[in-house]
Amino acid sequence: MNVSVVIPARLASTRLPRKVLADLGGKPVLRHVWERVARMRKATEILVATDSEEVAKAVAGWGGQFVMTSPDCRSGTERIASILDGLKGQFILNVQGDEPFIDPVLLDALVECFAAEGGDVVTPVYPIRDLATLMNPAVVKVVRGADGRAWYFSRSAVPHVRGVPMEEWPARGLHWGHLGVYGYARAKLAAYATLPESPLESVEALEQLRFLEAGWRIQTLETEYHAVAIDTPEDLAKARALLASAPVA
C-alpha cells in the first residue's frame, strides 16, 4: 500500500506567526518534523504542503519536497485535499508542521491500524490521567466505543461522570485526549470538498466533527505519546528547554 505523508505548513498562524520556521536547536521547527517523519518505515513519499515561498525555499534547502497550495485553504485537511491528484498514496497521513517531536513509530502504527481495521479516518488518542488536562479546553477529548471507533470529540470534559467528584474522574479511565494527526482513506479525502461545514464543527472549532456529521467512521489508536505542539511563544520555550535538557532521538 502506497502511503503519502503530507505536512501542511503555513506562516500566518494566529497565536505564533512564522512558528514553522522558528529556530529550535539550530533548525526550523518544520525541519524537525520532517526529519522525524523521514524515520518512518512505511512512508512512500513525504511532502510539505505550503502557500509560502519562504517555507518552500527552506524545505528545498534541506533536500525536502514541497507542493504549493492556495492561501485560501482553511485547514490542513483542506490543503491536502487540494493536492490529492498529485499524491501517490491510497492512504494519506496528515502530520502537523508544529509537532517537532512526533513519534515515527506512532505514524507507522497508524498505517498498520488502517491496513488492519479499515475505516475512513484513523487518529491517535491517549489516556487522560490528571484533572488539569481533562478540564483544559485546548485539549480535545474523545468519546470512544468498545471497538475504538470515535463517537464524539469535544473541548469539554466528556463523558460526564454523574455523582462522582470531578477530581476523581480521571481515575475512572473513561477519558481520552486526541492528538491532531489524521490518516485518511484516499476516496474519503477526495470527497472532502463536497462536505459542508457542520454545525458541531462550527461551535467546537474542531474539523473532525465535520467527518462525524457526514457519517465517516473514525477509528482511534491508543498511544502513550503526548503531543508537544507549538502554538504559543510559551510552547516554543518549552520545546527549546526539552530539546536542550534531553535531546529527542
Side-chain angles (χ1 to χ4, degrees):
M1 177 175 67
N2 285 341
V3 176
S4 297
V5 185
V6 185
I7 307 170
R10 65 189 183 98
L11 283 182
S13 51
T14 304
R15 288 181 287 178
L16 183 58
R18 302 178 57 82
K19 64 180 178 179
V20 296
L21 294 184
D23 179 77
L24 179 60
K27 300 177 185 178
V29 168
L30 181 59
R31 182 165 183 177
H32 285 276
V33 180
W34 175 278
E35 291 179 351
R36 302 288 290 180
V37 171
R39 297 182 190 182
M40 289 180 64
R41 295 179 294 106
K42 298 183 179 296
T44 304
E45 62 179 352
I46 304 168
L47 303 166
V48 170
T50 185
D51 59 8
S52 165
E53 293 286 351
E54 188 176 354
V55 169
K57 183 178 179 180
V59 173
W62 71 67
Q65 293 180 284
F66 64 88
V67 179
M68 299 303 297
T69 62
S70 168
D72 297 329
C73 294
R74 295 171 295 175
S75 68
T77 301
E78 185 174 335
R79 197 173 299 278
I80 296 172
S82 73
I83 62 170
L84 184 61
D85 288 346
L87 301 180
K88 300 175 181 177
Q90 289 82 45
F91 180 68
I92 317 296
L93 198 56
N94 175 355
V95 179
Q96 296 186 59
D98 61 359
E99 279 272 5
F101 306 123
I102 190 66
D103 183 4
V105 174
L106 171 60
L107 300 180
D108 279 326
L110 288 169
V111 179
E112 293 166 355
C113 178
F114 177 77
E117 302 290 341
D120 303 320
V121 180
V122 297
T123 195
V125 298
Y126 62 92
I128 294 177
R129 297 191 173 98
D130 65 276
L131 186 61
T133 300
L134 181 60
M135 301 308 296
N136 185 351
V139 176
V140 178
K141 273 68 71 173
V142 191
V143 179
R144 310 161 69 222
D147 60 356
R149 182 171 180 173
W151 288 352
Y152 191 65
F153 296 83
S154 181
R155 298 186 182 278
S156 297
V158 288
H160 179 90
V161 186
R162 183 179 178 185
V164 176
M166 191 171 291
E167 59 269 20
E168 297 179 15
W169 287 11
R172 295 298 180 106
L174 297 171
H175 297 92
W176 295 88
H178 176 236
L179 297 173
V181 179
Y182 300 97
Y184 318 92
R186 185 184 185 95
K188 284 298 179 179
L189 195 55
Y192 177 80
T194 68
L195 301 182
E197 183 175 354
S198 72
L200 291 175
E201 175 191 14
S202 179
V203 297
E204 292 259 23
L206 297 174
E207 67 170 324
Q208 59 269 48
L209 293 175
R210 182 183 306 199
F211 309 154
L212 286 182
E213 287 201 76
W216 291 15
R217 175 186 168 190
I218 302 180
Q219 185 67 32
T220 64
L221 175 70
E222 296 179 19
T223 182
E224 290 293 333
Y225 171 77
H226 284 224
V228 190
I230 297 174
D231 291 317
T232 66
E234 292 76 19
D235 293 336
L236 182 58
K238 290 177 183 177
R240 286 170 173 163
L242 177 60
L243 190 66
S245 63
V248 180

